[in-house]
Amino acid sequence: MTSRTAPQPSWLDEIPARLADIERAHLLRRRRVVEPAGGARLRVDGQPMLAFCSNDYLGLAHHPALAEAAREATHHFGVGSGGSPLVSGHSAANDALEHELAAFVQLPRALYFYAGYATNTGIIPALVGDGDVLFSDALNHACLIDGARLSRATIHRYPHADLAALEAQLAASPARRKLVISDAVFSMDGDLIDIPALLALCERYDALLLLDDAHGFGVLGPQGRGSLAKAGLTGANASRRVLYMATLGKAAGVAGAFVAGDAALIEWLLQKTRTYIFATAAPPLLASALRQSLRLMEAADDRRAHLDGLIAQLRRGLATLPPELGWHLLPSHTAVQALVIGSNEAALAAMESLRQRGLWVPAIRPPTVPVGTARLRIALSAAHTAADVEELLAALVAHAADCVAALQQETAGTSVAPAAVLA
């Protein structure tokens, strides 16, 4: 008689339980199906919503000039690029875009990528490796963090925006090749790093600086030329120590990313960046739309002024929220406005309360932000109106009133809270 051995448990059997653990921690994410509904409004899972979650900061994503540029390009170039940039994918449209990007940000040369994440995860390992040292702001975006890890360089994290701590780390490092990486505008806090001071440290300690300006490009600086231009460090004042990276799917309204800087450095990245060399190039129809987007951004001072007005309006309104809740608005003069709620549960409850009122404002939770700082990330756009912002403020005030009432009930010994307060 043949005995049968019981099958050994597989690690794959653990996945459902691990998903359940994520859900119990209020960290389960779900995708929403969206369709444009005009202006800053979307249909979300079939329901109309006023959205404060898009990074389309200038409201260009649905601009008819971009759609027309892409449509015309398909007649000439087709839809796909057909190859990697170093084989057959570097189209005339992509080449023209690189020259126009460099001119727009007033730096010697630019390299165009199909995605922002692929840009940073590729260029950092092309710049540093074993034996080199990398210095990273504690709140950098995940693509910078992952690029740093892939590089195999020694990584030193410094507290967010703490340039004194960074200087101490730079001074203590004997490495010949040093790279400092930082967001320019931090995506979850909305604050702008002190770029001149950061560059001064790099000059003093012979380091290269990589700036990710995903959330400043198109919005900040003269004609929206970005955070580096706002700091006065482009054109004749450009430093060969700065590599400037920005994405093209936010204020530019399309997709992709680029890195710009010293011509020799850009040539090195072209030769050594694996995510550039071994990937199919972005379709020329997108490059054609982006060329039109650059023209619109350059002439969009009215949109940027309108956005600045909305930012001021929102911050004034949020200053009136009841202090006993412990919510706090992080300092920011950019389109990213972070209202820190605290716990994951409370942030999700706030998001749900707003959803029930027809507004979509995402709750951002760990690991995207530090534990205990779950928040509403309010993204403003030139597509919003002052009335839209007032609608959001009214909804937040109403939810805050519900939360205060729940706190008062708890103080009085009652455990029942309004449904909107419970996750």
Side-chain angles (χ1 to χ4, degrees):
M1 185 174 182
T2 304
S3 62
R4 294 186 178 180
T5 304
Q8 294 297 311
S10 168
W11 68 273
L12 297 176
D13 298 328
E14 302 170 8
I15 299 299
R18 292 167 70 182
L19 284 169
D21 289 342
I22 293 173
E23 186 167 16
R24 277 191 293 273
H26 304 285
L27 291 174
L28 195 70
R29 271 86 170 163
R30 59 174 291 224
R31 296 182 301 177
R32 312 279 180 166
V33 178
V34 301
E35 298 176 85
R41 297 182 181 270
L42 298 171
R43 291 189 68 81
V44 183
D45 293 336
Q47 299 298 314
M49 290 279 172
L50 175 56
F52 289 89
C53 53
S54 172
N55 294 329
D56 180 23
Y57 298 130
L58 294 181
L60 295 180
H62 300 285
H63 197 289
L66 302 191
E68 181 58 30
R71 188 162 40 247
E72 288 181 6
T74 59
H75 295 309
H76 183 64
F77 295 104
V79 176
S81 65
S84 71
L86 295 181
V87 179
S88 61
H90 188 56
S91 72
N94 293 30
D95 189 68
L97 175 62
E98 288 185 344
H99 286 90
E100 291 170 17
L101 283 167
F104 186 80
V105 297
Q106 299 172 334
L107 294 171
R109 188 177 174 187
L111 191 63
Y112 169 47
F113 285 74
Y114 50 91
Y117 212 101
T119 306
N120 282 337
T121 56
I123 65 177
I124 294 173
L127 294 167
V128 291
D130 286 332
D132 301 329
V133 178
L134 186 150
F135 305 85
S136 176
D137 190 290
L139 294 188
N140 276 341
H141 189 269
C143 60
L144 288 171
I145 294 169
D146 289 350
R149 290 169 176 166
L150 288 169
S151 75
R152 301 182 181 178
T154 300
I155 300 171
H156 295 291
R157 291 173 77 242
Y158 58 92
H160 174 52
D162 188 340
L163 300 191
L166 171 60
E167 179 167 19
Q169 292 177 356
L170 285 165
S173 174
R176 181 167 178 267
R177 285 188 289 269
K178 305 181 188 74
L179 173 65
V180 177
I181 59 174
S182 178
D183 284 342
V185 174
F186 286 82
S187 60
M188 292 299 130
D189 287 32
D191 57 325
L192 175 65
I193 197 68
D194 186 344
I195 296 174
L198 199 56
L199 177 57
L201 288 180
C202 291
E203 295 279 3
R204 189 174 306 149
Y205 295 99
D206 192 21
L208 179 66
L209 173 61
L210 171 60
L211 279 177
D212 180 336
D213 198 27
H215 301 273
F217 177 71
V219 181
L220 301 180
Q223 295 83 48
R225 299 179 195 275
S227 299
L228 196 62
K230 178 179 173 63
L233 294 171
T234 59
N237 296 322
S239 168
R240 66 172 184 158
R241 292 187 183 276
V242 177
L243 278 171
Y244 175 84
M245 177 271 182
T247 54
L248 300 166
K250 298 178 176 66
V254 187
F258 71 99
V259 59
D262 177 76
L265 275 174
I266 298 301
E267 180 64 27
W268 176 262
L269 294 178
L270 186 153
Q271 299 296 329
K272 292 294 183 179
T273 304
R274 293 174 66 83
T275 55
Y276 182 83
I277 296 168
F278 298 109
T280 300
L285 69 92
L286 297 181
S288 298
L290 284 164
R291 295 179 66 194
Q292 180 61 43
S293 178
L294 290 178
R295 300 181 189 105
L296 292 174
M297 285 196 296
E298 188 172 19
D301 283 348
D302 56 339
R303 290 176 182 253
R304 284 182 283 271
H306 174 62
L307 179 58
D308 287 344
L310 297 178
I311 293 166
Q313 177 189 358
L314 179 72
R315 293 191 68 84
R316 285 194 303 270
L318 292 178
T320 67
L321 291 175
E324 58 264 39
L325 293 176
W327 301 353
H328 63 281
L329 182 64
L330 296 183
S332 167
H333 298 289
T334 71
V336 178
Q337 295 293 316
L339 181 62
V340 176
I341 303 294
S343 73
N344 301 336
E345 184 178 9
L348 286 172
M351 177 180 174
E352 175 60 17
S353 173
L354 295 176
R355 188 195 67 79
Q356 292 176 7
R357 292 174 167 91
L359 297 114
W360 188 10
V361 183
I364 306 297
R365 293 156 285 158
T368 309
V369 294
V371 173
T373 69
R375 65 198 63 184
L376 295 179
R377 181 187 185 272
I378 303 167
L380 293 172
S381 166
H384 288 117
T385 66
D388 292 338
V389 173
E390 284 303 319
E391 185 175 345
L392 172 61
L393 288 169
L396 283 167
V397 167
H399 176 63
D402 288 343
C403 292
V404 169
L407 285 173
Q408 291 171 345
Q409 288 176 344
E410 289 177 7
T411 302
T414 305
S415 60
V416 178
V421 180
L422 301 175

